[in-house]
Structure formats: C-alpha cells, structure tokens
C-alpha cells in the first residue's frame, strides 16, 4: 500500500511538475516585458526632455538675434576681371558672441571687453550680458588681433564663430561696379547684388552655396584699365578743383564695359561713407544735361532723316528768339554754316535749325530710338531713369538739340555714341564678358551704316581740323575723334554761366572704332588764371590721358604713319 501510494504520489508529482514550471515561465515573461516597456518609456522621456530643451534653446537664440547663416551658407563666388584677376573674394573672420546664462560677472566681463573694443555701447551691452538669453552677438567680423586679445582675457561665456568676410583686393578701384555686401555676406549693391538676384541668395538660404562649388563670376572689366581710369579721375579732380568726375571705356562692338569709375567713391572694405549722397555712381545712377555731346545725336538724326545731308546749310547769322528765350552761339561765326561746320563749331543755332526741319515728334522718336530717354537695361541695379519734358513743345525740342532740357546718364550717352560709330547698332551695355556674335544677335539697328560713316568723319574732323573742339583729346598714333559738351548748371532755378557740368565723348581709332571713352567733370575751375573751364580744356584732356595710357593694354596698335588718314564718306 505504501509502495503503491508512493508510486502514485511520484506519478502525480511528476505529472504536476510541468504545470508548475509552465506557470512560473509565463509569470516571469509578463514581468520581463513590463520591465522592458517601462525602460523604453524612461529612455523616451529622457530623449523628449533633451529634444524639448534643444528646441527651447533654439527659440531663445532666434529671439535674441542668434547667429546668421553658417560659414557654408554665407559663401559667395569670387568676382574676377576679364583676365582672371581677383576683384572680390571671401576670407574667414571671427565673430564674437556671448552666452549670458554662463556669464559669471557681467560688470567684469564688460570692463574687460572694453579694453579691446572701446566703442561697444556700454549700457546696451551690459543689459544684454545680464539677460537670460542663450546667445547674443557682441561684434561681427573681428580682426585677428582683436580676436587674440579677447582670447587672452579669459572671460567665461564668451566665444567666437567663424564667418565669411568679403574682401576687395583693389579697395576703391572698382567700388561702384562691384558694389557691397552686408554683415551677413548678402549683396546689397552693384554686381554683388546682381549675383544674389541671379539665384545665389536662394542657394544660401537652402545651404547649397558651398564655396568649392561656386564658379567665379567673370566681369568684362579690365583691372589694368580700371586702375588707369580711376587714377586719371583723381588727378583731374585735383587739377581742376572739381567736385566730382567720372569716366567709362566701352567696347563699341560688344557693348562690354572695360572700365567705369565715378569719384568721389568709397572703399568697399570699409564702406562707412558709401551712402553719402555725393558718392553715388554718377555714370549710371545720376542724370545730367549732357550739353553739346547731345549734338552728336542731333546731327545723326538730321542725316538719318533723309531730309538733310553733308552739304546742307543752316543760317546761323543771328540768334533765334522764341518767346522770352534767345538761342545764341558761344563762339558764333555770324554766317551760314554747312552741316559739318554746325558740328565742328558746336553751333546752337545750327542745331536748332536741324531739329526744326525734323519736327518735334521726329526729334523725340530719334532720341528714344537711340536709348537716351528710357531707363537703361544692364546688370547694375543702380541705374537712373532719364528725365524729359512731360509735353514737348518747340522750345523744348530746340534746347534739347544742344543738350539742355533733357537729362540722361553719362553711360547711356556713351552707349548711344557707340551706336553712331559702330555701323548704327545699339548694344545694351554689359558688365559681363560677351563676344561679338552674341552682341550682334541682340543688336538693334538705330541709324543706317551711311549715317554712322558720316558721324565717324565728323568726329574725326572735330579733333583734327583747326577750330575743332576735340583737338586736346587727340593721342599720336590712335586717331581719336569726338565731341565736347559744356552744360551750364541750374543754380537757384536759373542757369549759371560760371558753374558747369562738362563732358567729352570720344571714339578710337576713328577709321575703324573699337572703343568709346566718355569723361565727365562736375564744376571744374580753370587750370590756370586767364583761361576758361570749358569741356575742351578739361574733359577732352582727360580722354587723351586715358587713351594714351590704356590703348596698348586694350590691344589697339598705334599707326604713326597715317595720322591724318582720310575717312572717305558719301553725302548721299
């Protein structure tokens, strides 16, 4: 019995054993899964707290004027001249920031910073250092010396971030062409702004403006010629005691601007005075009555109309009176003048007779055709809109014939003159490289080739015949021709005969022009006592000096054996 009981008990225990083990396993598995879930929840909670704190710090940074675009985002392409010389590039610089929550003693920190940066706003900086902000800028774009000095101060909560600084190796040499960037390396003027508007700013915003992927932007500018132009303007302002001066060198076959400067200018590396009103780019952003340079267009209009030719004559024996205004010649001949004489002697009366033949509507249409009345289309954003009478009357047409009563930009005047000598093709000016084939595909024929040939002849005569106003613009071997422009400026609502805006527009070599050079000089004084201050005495010599120094660099070979090469033209 005992044996059977024990055997039965053993069997029963054996049968019950798996049930006990299985229950224990199930219980253990449930508790294990619970622990895993709880552990995961703990870790997720920790990560959520971390993420939340990071987001909060990010919001604080934004609210407190946190850092600008990253070093990569703010990269800009180099700007180079037509020969690959660097005009603008990025360099690394350090910017100073603070984390106010880590500042131990705001008074001490500020006191130390002022030893290196004495121009910090004391009250504002102190209040910001005492704030609860996570990040604040203290000074952008430090010099290496400033950075090293601040590092040696050992201030807790102060640090540096590497940013990009735009550097212009030539300083002010091409300031008005290159323009400016702001502290975040964004273009705000000149070709820098143009580059941003072409898509660079979008790349920067998306973080795709990576320095190594940005191709240099090649301009049409020749840095050597640009330096010459600016140097001559500086000398002219000093020599003639003028308030401003400007010049442009333009390729008549492509419309490329090889050089352009306007003084006073500024240094884009330190543009503290860039926004002063007398430092605007007068060549494209200023409009002026261009004086007798406009007679180039008056004469071309007369010839192109078919109503007059090179043999036409005009009565300049006595002044013209319209209403209360009398039109006189500066150095009148007191006789009937042939068309070439009207141009060479710069006769206001003869020019008035020419527009009278064409008529008011025809006159305005021609000036619009050659681009003098509309806002110029080019890459530079700083372009002014020409001004003209709201309603053209006869007196307006007559005075505009010799350059008064209508104002345009000097650059537009140069562009229009290029069309008068290049065969009659108007080419929009460009500050980017462009070949002749591309230029021809966009050219607009504004005067006939015959009119253009006649204008080359007249430009050449004006510089070579006795009495021509362009004689001081000549350069031996380079066959320079052109037209002066002496415009009286308006002072207190009236034209002042002793306050002038002078200009000279020239082309060379006149037998087959390649370049137009236009100079302006504002309120020049006589170079010496006893002589005048008209354009032939200042603006013309400026052209001569620029061509003499730059012609060889532009690839124009002198021809000393044909100084008086005849330009054979037909008067048909």
């Amino acid at each position: 019995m005992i044996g059977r009981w024990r055997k039965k008990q053993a069997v029963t225990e054996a049968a019950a054993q798996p049930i006990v083990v299985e229950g224990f396993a199930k219980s253990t598995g449930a508790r294990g899964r619970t622990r895993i879930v709880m552990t995961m929840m703990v870790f997720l909670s920790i990560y959520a707290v971390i993420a939340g704190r990071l987001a909060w710090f990010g919001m604080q940074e934004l609210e407190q004027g946190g850092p600008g675009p990253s070093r990569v985002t703010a990269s800009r392409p180099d700007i180079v001249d037509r020969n690959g010389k660097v005009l603008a590039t990025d360099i690394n610089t350090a910017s100073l920031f603070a984390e106010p929550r880590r500042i131990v003693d705001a008074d001490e920190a500020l006191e130390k910073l002022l030893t290196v940066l004495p121009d910090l706003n004391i009250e504002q900086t102190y209040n910001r250092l005492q704030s609860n902000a996570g990040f604040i800028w203290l000074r952008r774009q430090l010099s290496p010396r400033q950075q090293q000095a601040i590092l040696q101060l050992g201030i807790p909560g102060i640090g540096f971030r590497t940013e990009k600084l735009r550097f212009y190796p030539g300083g002010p040499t091409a300031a008005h062409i290159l323009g400016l960037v702001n502290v975040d390396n964004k273009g705000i003027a000149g070709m820098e702004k143009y580059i941003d508007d072409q898509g660079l700013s979008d790349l920067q915003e998306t973080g795709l403006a990576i320095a190594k992927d940005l191709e240099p932007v090649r301009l049409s500018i020749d840095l050597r010629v640009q330096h010459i132009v600016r140097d001559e303007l500086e000398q002219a302002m000093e020599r003639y005691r003028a308030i401003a001066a400007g010049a442009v060198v333009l390729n008549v076959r492509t419309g490329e601007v090889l050089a352009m400067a306007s003084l006073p200018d500024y240094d884009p590396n330190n543009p503290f005075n860039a926004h002063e009103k007398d430092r605007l780019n007068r060549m494209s952003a200023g409009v002026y009555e261009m004086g007798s340079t406009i007679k180039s267009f008056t004469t071309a209009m007369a010839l192109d109309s078919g109503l007059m030719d090179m043999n036409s004559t005009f009565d300049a024996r006595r002044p013209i009176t319209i209403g209360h205004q009398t039109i006189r010649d500066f150095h009148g001949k007191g006789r009937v003048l042939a068309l070439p004489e009207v141009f060479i002697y710069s006769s206001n009366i003869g020019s008035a007779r020419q527009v009278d033949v064409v008529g008011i509507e025809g006159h305005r249409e021609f000036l619009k055709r050659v681009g003098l009345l509309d806002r110029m289309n080019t890459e530079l954003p700083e372009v002014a809109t020409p001004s003209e009478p709201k309603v053209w009357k006869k007196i307006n047409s007559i005075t505009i014939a010799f350059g008064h009563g209508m104002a345009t930009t000097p650059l537009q005047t140069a562009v229009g003159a290029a069309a008068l000598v290049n065969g009659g093709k108007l080419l929009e000016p460009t500050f980017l490289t462009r070949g002749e084939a591309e230029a021809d595909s966009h050219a607009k024929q504004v005067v006939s080739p015959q009119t253009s040939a006649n204008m080359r002849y007249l430009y050449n005569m004006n510089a070579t015949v006795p009495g021509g106003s362009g004689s001081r613009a000549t350069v031996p071997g380079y066959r320079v021709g052109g037209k002066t422009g002496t415009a009286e400026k308006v002072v207190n609502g009236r034209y002042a005969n002793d306050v002038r805006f002078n200009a000279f527009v020239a082309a060379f070599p006149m037998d087959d022009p390649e370049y137009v050079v236009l100079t302006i000089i504002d309120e020049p004084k006589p170079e010496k006592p006893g002589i005048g201050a008209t354009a032939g005495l200042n603006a013309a010599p400026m052209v001569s000096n620029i061509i003499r120094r730059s012609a060889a660099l532009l690839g124009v070979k002198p021809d000393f054996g044909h100084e008086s090469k005849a330009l054979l033209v037909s008067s048909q």
Side-chain angles (χ1 to χ4, degrees):
M1 293 289 294
I2 294 174
R4 285 196 301 270
W5 179 82
R6 286 181 176 171
K7 186 176 180 179
K8 182 177 179 180
Q9 184 182 32
V11 172
T12 303
E13 289 176 355
Q17 187 68 26
I19 296 174
V20 173
V21 171
E22 184 179 358
F24 176 78
K26 288 181 180 180
S27 175
T28 303
R31 287 195 298 272
R33 282 194 298 273
T34 300
R35 284 196 297 270
I36 291 172
V37 170
M38 290 179 67
T39 302
M40 291 175 64
M41 290 179 65
V42 170
F43 277 105
L44 286 174
S45 299
I46 293 172
Y47 284 126
V49 170
I50 293 172
R53 293 293 288 174
L54 288 174
W56 184 83
F57 281 127
M59 291 300 293
Q60 285 293 106
E61 183 174 290
L62 290 174
E63 290 174 2
Q64 297 297 329
S70 70
R71 180 162 53 95
V72 173
T73 304
S75 294
R76 301 183 65 79
D78 285 354
I79 301 178
V80 299
D81 83 336
R82 65 188 304 108
N83 301 311
K85 300 295 184 182
V86 175
L87 301 174
T89 190
D90 281 349
I91 59 174
N92 289 333
T93 185
S95 290
L96 178 68
F97 71 88
E99 297 172 289
R101 285 193 296 270
R102 294 183 56 212
I103 298 292
V104 177
D105 187 334
D107 286 299
E108 182 184 4
L110 178 57
E111 185 177 346
K112 288 182 176 181
L113 287 173
L114 287 171
T115 63
V116 181
L117 304 173
D119 58 335
L120 281 175
N121 185 307
I122 296 176
E123 183 178 356
Q124 182 185 67
T125 305
Y126 178 75
N127 290 335
R128 297 178 71 200
L129 290 174
Q130 277 201 318
S131 70
N132 197 36
F135 180 101
I136 58 171
W137 282 121
L138 292 177
R139 176 62 58 84
R140 309 285 289 276
Q141 300 175 351
L142 298 171
S143 68
R145 181 176 296 178
Q146 289 173 323
Q147 182 186 16
Q148 183 61 32
I150 294 171
L151 279 171
Q152 292 175 351
L153 297 176
I155 307 172
I158 297 294
F160 303 91
R161 289 201 177 186
T162 301
E163 294 192 291
K164 290 293 185 182
L165 173 67
R166 200 62 163 168
F167 177 63
Y168 303 89
T173 302
H176 283 120
I177 295 173
L178 297 174
L180 291 169
V181 298
N182 62 16
V183 71
D184 292 316
N185 224 19
K186 303 285 188 181
I188 58 174
M191 292 302 292
E192 295 280 27
K193 187 175 189 306
Y194 169 79
I195 292 169
D196 277 33
D197 292 343
Q198 299 309 299
L200 177 64
S201 58
D202 294 334
L203 290 177
Q204 290 178 331
E205 291 297 332
T206 56
L208 298 177
I210 302 173
K212 65 182 180 65
D213 295 334
L214 297 174
E215 291 292 327
V217 176
R218 188 177 297 272
L219 302 188
S220 59
I221 302 303
D222 187 318
L223 183 58
R224 302 168 300 175
V225 180
Q226 180 70 27
H227 170 75
I228 290 169
V229 167
R230 188 178 183 280
D231 182 58
E232 286 298 332
L233 295 183
E234 279 191 316
Q235 293 186 46
M237 284 186 64
E238 182 178 354
R239 183 182 307 120
Y240 305 116
R241 303 185 303 282
I243 64 170
V248 62
V249 178
L250 183 74
N251 187 317
V252 305
R253 301 172 183 175
T254 64
E256 294 172 296
V257 176
L258 275 295
M260 187 181 77
S262 174
L263 298 184
D265 55 10
Y266 57 88
D267 186 348
N269 293 313
N270 184 28
F272 68 96
N273 57 356
H275 296 295
E276 293 178 3
K277 63 179 183 179
D278 66 328
R279 296 180 187 275
L280 85 161
N281 180 5
R282 286 170 166 81
M283 299 304 293
S284 66
V287 293
Y288 306 94
E289 293 183 340
M290 294 298 295
S292 293
T293 58
I294 299 299
K295 289 174 183 171
S296 300
F297 304 99
T298 303
T299 303
M301 174 195 65
L303 292 168
D304 207 59
S305 70
L307 301 174
M308 289 157 275
D309 59 33
M310 296 288 280
N311 297 314
S312 297
T313 59
F314 306 89
D315 186 357
R317 289 175 295 181
R318 55 185 59 88
I320 298 173
T321 300
I322 301 179
H324 299 290
Q325 298 194 42
T326 301
I327 310 303
R328 296 183 174 87
D329 284 341
F330 185 63
H331 290 301
K333 299 300 178 181
R335 61 178 174 82
V336 174
L337 301 176
L339 185 143
E341 292 179 310
V342 170
F343 187 80
I344 293 168
Y345 300 139
S346 199
S347 172
N348 295 339
I349 298 171
S351 298
R353 302 286 189 199
Q354 290 172 354
V355 298
D356 198 32
V357 173
V358 174
I360 297 173
E361 293 301 322
H363 186 194
R364 184 179 186 278
E365 184 279 327
F366 183 84
L367 294 181
K368 196 170 182 66
R369 191 197 317 167
V370 295
L372 296 183
L373 300 182
D374 295 319
R375 188 177 187 273
M376 182 171 48
N377 185 25
T378 191
E379 294 86 9
L380 282 188
E382 297 82 23
V383 175
T385 301
S387 64
E388 59 174 311
K390 291 183 178 180
V391 178
W392 279 49
K393 298 179 181 179
K394 186 172 182 177
I395 185 60
N396 302 124
S397 181
I398 285 176
T399 59
I400 289 171
F402 50 85
H404 285 78
M406 179 269 291
T408 191
T409 69
L411 179 56
Q412 281 174 273
T413 308
V415 171
L420 299 186
V421 300
N422 71 1
K425 298 177 181 178
L426 183 66
L427 302 169
E428 291 181 347
T430 181
F431 291 85
L432 303 173
T433 54
R434 180 167 67 190
E436 288 189 38
E438 182 184 354
D440 281 340
S441 67
H442 297 96
K444 178 184 176 184
Q445 193 77 33
V446 292
V447 298
S448 69
Q450 182 59 57
T451 297
S452 180
N454 286 334
M455 291 306 301
R456 292 195 295 270
Y457 174 74
L458 293 173
Y459 268 25
N460 184 67
M461 283 187 65
N462 194 43
T464 57
V465 303
S469 62
S471 60
R472 288 180 175 83
T474 58
V475 181
Y478 289 104
R479 307 172 309 282
V480 180
K483 184 72 185 76
T484 52
T486 302
E488 296 175 350
K489 293 181 66 173
V490 176
V491 178
N492 297 324
R494 299 175 63 88
Y495 284 106
N497 58 16
D498 60 344
V499 183
R500 303 179 179 92
F501 180 89
N502 293 353
F504 192 92
V505 58
F508 76 101
M510 281 316 308
D511 50 322
D512 187 17
E514 294 183 47
Y515 298 97
V516 157
V517 180
L518 183 144
T519 58
I520 61 170
I521 185 155
D522 198 355
E523 298 188 18
K525 311 301 184 297
E527 183 178 5
K528 300 176 182 178
I531 66 173
T534 56
L537 298 171
N538 40 60
M542 290 164 64
V543 165
S544 177
N545 292 338
I546 290 171
I547 294 175
R548 175 176 49 81
R549 295 176 62 184
S550 65
L553 298 175
L554 293 169
V556 181
K557 297 179 180 179
D559 186 358
F560 295 103
H562 298 82
E563 284 297 309
S564 300
K565 181 180 287 186
L567 299 175
L568 300 177
V569 298
S570 168
S571 61
Q572 298 297 319

